[in-house]
Amino acid sequence: MNSLLDILSDSILFGGLPEAQLREIGRIAESRRYAKAQIVFTEGDEGVGFFVIASGTVKIFKVSSDGKEQILHIFGPGEPFGEVPVFTNQAYPASAEAIAPTTLLFIPKGGFIQLISRTPSLSLNMLAVLSLRLHQFTVQVENLSLKEVPGRLAGYLLYLGQAQRSENEVRLAISKGQLASLLGTIPETLSRVLAKMSQQRIITVSGRRIRLLDTEALNALAAHGKYLDA
């Protein structure tokens, strides 16, 4: 595994900070390991700090009163989560679970606030991350409320392509059941959409690897939210 300083410097939140500041953060950070399917925190737990993913994958989710799970985010190495309660003095607004063997850096709220008071650049980084989170939520709400499943899936595949820096192929870090939850649908519907997109030669699917054969069609689907008549 990378060193603590490498993990911090590669993270969205702390990238670009001078080494001296990274070392200060490293002094208050605590490494924690989680097994697959282990809960990191539950909605309503006291927000005592936030996390940065060193390795592995974490899902952020909510559970409805009837037991239905809605995945809000899937985060991987370098990404922070649970940061909102650091500033709002509220409980965690959703639950977090490791969906693969995962190592996290826990940053306690009290120690981090003290660092921010001495290091204004940390505040700017945090504001940038929170702004990005707000944008992601806005896009997600738009997708779930205005777009049909093909459009949601196309947008997510294009997002993965950008994140993985690959125009032709992406790899899912989550199961198709988890992807269905993230897209606000059920596995059976997702399977039908994947099959139709494969039949139309927009994508091909091999396990968790998806080749993007027609990015123009994917962009059209993502923009309009549904299949367009030929």
Side-chain angles (χ1 to χ4, degrees), residues 13-14 28 46-51 80-93 106-116 126 130:
L13 185 57
F14 302 126
I28 66 170
E46 181 184 359
V48 293
F50 67 97
F51 300 81
F81 66 93
E83 68 276 8
V84 172
V86 170
F87 295 96
T88 61
N89 290 319
Q90 295 178 348
Y92 293 116
F106 173 69
I107 314 290
K109 174 181 175 179
F112 188 69
I113 289 178
Q114 289 179 11
L115 280 180
I116 282 181
M126 182 65 84
L130 293 177

Side-chain angles (χ1 to χ4, degrees), residues 5 9 14 49 55 67 97 103 107 154 158 165 209 213 216:
L5 287 184
S9 64
F14 302 126
S55 64
E97 177 186 318
T103 299
I107 314 290
L158 291 169
R165 299 180 181 179
R209 293 192 177 277
L213 304 178
E216 184 176 345

Side-chain angles (χ1 to χ4, degrees), residues 4 13-15 26 32 65 115 133 161 184 189 195 201 217:
L4 177 59
L13 185 57
F14 302 126
R32 298 182 179 181
S65 57
L115 280 180
R133 291 283 192 264
T189 299
R201 300 296 297 167

Side-chain angles (χ1 to χ4, degrees), residues 77-212:
E79 294 188 280
F81 66 93
E83 68 276 8
V84 172
V86 170
F87 295 96
T88 61
N89 290 319
Q90 295 178 348
Y92 293 116
S95 301
E97 177 186 318
I99 58 176
T102 297
T103 299
L104 304 176
L105 296 182
F106 173 69
I107 314 290
K109 174 181 175 179
F112 188 69
I113 289 178
Q114 289 179 11
L115 280 180
I116 282 181
S117 67
R118 304 194 303 268
T119 313
S121 54
L122 272 178
S123 298
L124 295 176
N125 280 27
M126 182 65 84
L127 283 172
V129 169
L130 293 177
S131 297
L132 177 62
R133 291 283 192 264
L134 179 60
H135 174 70
Q136 290 172 336
F137 268 119
T138 301
V139 171
Q140 185 174 31
V141 169
E142 178 186 359
N143 286 341
L144 293 177
S145 60
L146 301 178
K147 294 182 179 180
E148 296 179 7
V149 177
R152 300 174 207 167
L153 175 60
Y156 184 70
L157 293 177
L158 291 169
Y159 160 77
L160 280 185
Q162 292 178 342
Q164 298 177 11
R165 299 180 181 179
S166 172
E167 296 181 357
N168 302 315
E169 182 177 280
V170 298
R171 185 184 185 283
L172 298 177
I174 55 179
S175 69
K176 290 187 175 68
Q178 291 166 336
L179 177 58
S181 175
L182 181 64
L183 298 177
T185 188
I186 59 176
E188 293 79 6
T189 299
L190 177 63
S191 293
R192 288 195 295 270
V193 171
L194 286 168
K196 184 169 183 179
M197 291 172 70
S198 296
Q199 291 169 1
Q200 295 183 334
R201 300 296 297 167
I202 298 174
I203 62 172
T204 59
V205 182
S206 177
R208 292 195 179 189
R209 293 192 177 277
I210 300 178
R211 287 190 59 80
L212 312 182

